Amino acid sequence: MSHPIRVLTGITTSGTPHLGNYVGAIRPTVRASRRADTESFLFLADYHALIKVGEPARVQRSTLEIAASWLACGLDPERVTFYRQSDIAEIPQLTWLLTCVTGKGLLNRAHAYKAANDQNAAAGRDADDGITAGLFMYPVLMAADILMFNAHQVPVGRDQIQHIEMARDIAASFNHLYGEHLTLPEAVIEESVATLPGLDGRKMSKSYDNTIPLFAPREQLHKAIMGIVTDSRAPGQPKDAEGSALFQIYQAFASTDETEALRRAYAQGIAWGDAKQRLFERIDRELAPMRETYESLIADPGRVEDILRSGAAKAGRLAGPLMARLREAVGLRDLRAQPGIAAPRVAKAALPAFKQYRERDGQFYFKLVDAQGRALLQSAGFDTPRDAARAIAQLREQGSAALAGPEARLHAADGVSTGAIVAALGQLAGSTEPIRPIGS
Ligand code: TRP
């Protein structure tokens, strides 16, 4: 059984989704989330929103709009872990643990922080003028988002690559100090997804104020599309598809055949008004059913709230246990617990171990694995976990003597010599090394 790849991404709740977000992020992410080999985590980064937005009502409204948009576009909250960052109490806790292993110099090098410094310098102001510690700490909070769920892959835009690299660096520092607890994430840049041009032909972006809202009412969508810039060619004059924002937007929604038909219409001199009408109809055809769902969700915020809370409960079932392990690892511990002797990790890594697990047939099995995790010995199925544990106890007490006899119900893993097994059992003889569940 191979483990699914864990993919995680967050959306800052500071605006209203537009067509560029839909084509560049929502649509491909919803599609990818349906793949059987991935386990998707998607969250609303509302703590991140506080760094840029000082308007409470806007943060709230944006959270509702973004959540409703993703749901309307087909995100299945049963399948995907869909939650709001601020509902996960462990994220700020992890942020602090990570803050304590993050070099200040690393954060000094963050692009967003440096850009703010440079702007201040250019204006002759103090380097840190108007810069909050929140902006400075942004990469640590983002690392906590990712590391909290041991995500393997993080699909992001190019501007976020540095943040993922920082998350890796921070995770590596933590692991170096406290043991291998955190997975080092990788950025995934979706090359094939085109960026959508906006009304003025530049990349559609909130910062250029050239966006077309995703779920504006039909008439408003129509009006926005009529405002896309074109050149001044008259009806009947051939028009260039290349470099036409209108054409590129059409292409992002249409099939290859439809796109070719519009290319011919351009060559034959279609009037800009007619081309815009075609674009409007094509987009509206895709969005209309989703818009209806969107509007019903916006009208019923309690439903969205419930969905996010149940997503948070699901996420919390992973965040809680990991946070408990990390607290333990850093020494935030029950005072009655025996303090570990120095470097328990090294001692542990040198030992073979028993791993107990349950198969799909409902039976209980165990393996003996060496220090590198390779299987040495494989048990047959036991009816209860106690039976399996008893067989393990016997192996621990009697060592290789317990291998003989029909009641042993064990066989060597492929290509493993009896000598290797005997040696491993010898290392474990009388040890109190706990049995680790498989996958830990
Ligand atoms: N910084 C991301 C952005 O602005 C949003 C974000 C916050 C995020 N936490 C994350 C993205 C974790 C991926 C993973 O787009």
Side-chain angles (χ1 to χ4, degrees):
M1 250 193 310
S2 67
H3 289 287
I5 295 181
R6 227 180 237 187
V7 182
L8 175 145
T9 199
I11 309 107
T12 306
T13 54
S14 54
T16 300
H18 53 69
L19 285 186
N21 300 137
Y22 174 72
V23 168
I26 304 178
R27 193 172 61 184
T29 305
V30 169
R31 277 190 195 144
S33 75
R34 301 203 175 112
R35 293 175 48 155
D37 58 348
T38 61
E39 197 183 345
S40 299
F41 290 71
L42 189 85
F43 71 95
L44 303 159
D46 53 350
Y47 280 138
H48 278 97
L50 299 186
I51 295 170
K52 315 180 212 176
V53 186
E55 294 164 62
R58 206 171 119 211
V59 174
Q60 182 190 23
R61 179 72 193 174
S62 171
T63 305
L64 174 63
E65 287 178 351
I66 294 176
S69 297
W70 282 81
L71 292 167
C73 292
L75 186 88
D76 178 359
E78 295 297 318
R79 190 177 179 112
V80 173
T81 306
F82 182 51
Y83 56 100
R84 173 171 48 194
Q85 184 186 33
S86 66
D87 282 338
I88 312 298
E90 290 82 0
I91 289 178
Q93 295 179 23
L94 179 56
T95 301
W96 183 252
L97 300 195
L98 299 177
T99 301
C100 295
V101 300
T102 301
K104 179 172 173 292
L106 181 86
L107 299 179
N108 287 340
R109 292 191 287 276
H111 299 323
Y113 174 64
K114 271 192 4 197
N117 276 170
D118 292 348
Q119 267 180 13
N120 278 333
R125 293 186 294 254
D126 179 77
D128 281 330
D129 196 69
I131 299 177
T132 64
L135 177 73
F136 188 66
M137 291 291 296
Y138 188 113
V140 188
L141 177 58
M142 183 157 159
D145 292 333
I146 298 168
L147 304 175
M148 188 82 260
F149 297 99
N150 279 326
H152 304 111
Q153 296 186 348
V154 185
V156 284
R158 298 203 160 276
D159 60 325
Q160 297 291 319
I161 296 177
Q162 189 195 31
H163 289 146
I164 311 303
E165 283 166 357
M166 288 182 161
R168 287 177 70 88
D169 289 345
I170 295 170
S173 303
F174 187 93
N175 287 349
H176 178 70
L177 274 163
Y178 297 116
E180 297 293 319
H181 296 283
L182 303 174
T183 302
L184 272 46
E186 254 173 63
V188 179
I189 308 298
E190 193 52 84
E191 304 282 359
S192 64
V193 175
T195 55
L196 207 66
L199 294 171
D200 59 359
R202 290 185 293 173
K203 176 186 166 179
M204 191 180 290
S205 160
K206 202 172 49 176
S207 36
Y208 295 144
D209 195 22
N210 64 355
T211 63
I212 301 174
L214 174 56
F215 290 127
R218 211 179 120 84
E219 309 70 51
Q220 217 173 306
L221 176 68
H222 189 260
K223 201 169 152 225
I225 287 174
M226 292 299 154
I228 296 173
V229 289
T230 55
D231 60 28
S232 56
R233 272 174 238 209
Q237 270 187 286
K239 297 173 175 66
D240 233 343
E242 297 331 305
S244 158
L246 202 159
F247 189 83
Q248 280 178 51
I249 300 173
Y250 187 82
Q251 197 166 20
F253 287 87
S255 68
T256 321
D257 286 353
E258 290 168 324
T259 304
E260 284 319 301
L262 185 64
R263 193 189 297 282
R264 282 194 301 276
Y266 263 57
Q268 289 158 8
I270 186 174
W272 284 127
D274 294 341
K276 286 176 177 175
Q277 185 63 27
R278 254 204 228 189
L279 173 63
F280 166 69
E281 276 159 18
R282 186 62 192 83
I283 293 181
D284 193 55
R285 173 143 66 91
E286 182 160 330
L287 298 186
M290 300 187 244
R291 186 190 296 127
E292 214 172 292
T293 312
Y294 176 80
E295 282 167 0
S296 72
L297 287 167
I298 292 287
D300 187 2
R303 216 172 114 210
V304 179
E305 183 66 34
D306 287 345
I307 292 171
L308 291 178
R309 286 189 194 184
S310 70
K314 197 155 93 175
R317 287 195 282 277
L318 294 166
L322 177 59
M323 197 58 218
R325 286 204 296 280
L326 298 179
R327 291 174 65 93
E328 177 69 29
V330 301
L332 306 178
R333 293 180 184 152
D334 184 329
L335 297 182
R336 292 162 299 190
Q338 284 294 320
I341 304 153
R345 186 178 140 229
V346 177
K348 212 175 199 174
L351 277 182
F354 287 105
K355 295 205 171 195
Q356 214 178 325
Y357 58 101
R358 191 174 191 184
E359 276 285 22
R360 281 201 209 162
D361 62 8
Q363 295 228 297
F364 297 87
Y365 294 77
F366 66 85
K367 279 181 198 177
L368 173 65
V369 299
D370 69 12
Q372 285 72 44
R374 274 187 303 254
L376 300 170
L377 199 62
Q378 166 71 61
S379 81
F382 293 89
D383 291 333
T384 70
R386 282 196 59 188
D387 293 339
R390 202 171 296 130
I392 293 174
Q394 217 168 30
L395 275 167
R396 273 197 212 285
E397 281 160 29
Q398 304 172 11
S400 51
L403 289 173
E407 70 284 11
R409 319 221 296 143
L410 296 159
H411 61 265
D414 281 348
V416 173
S417 68
T418 314
I421 295 169
V422 171
L425 288 172
Q427 272 183 286
L428 280 176
S431 91
T432 51
E433 177 73 358
I435 302 162
R436 279 176 257 159
I438 203 102
S440 74

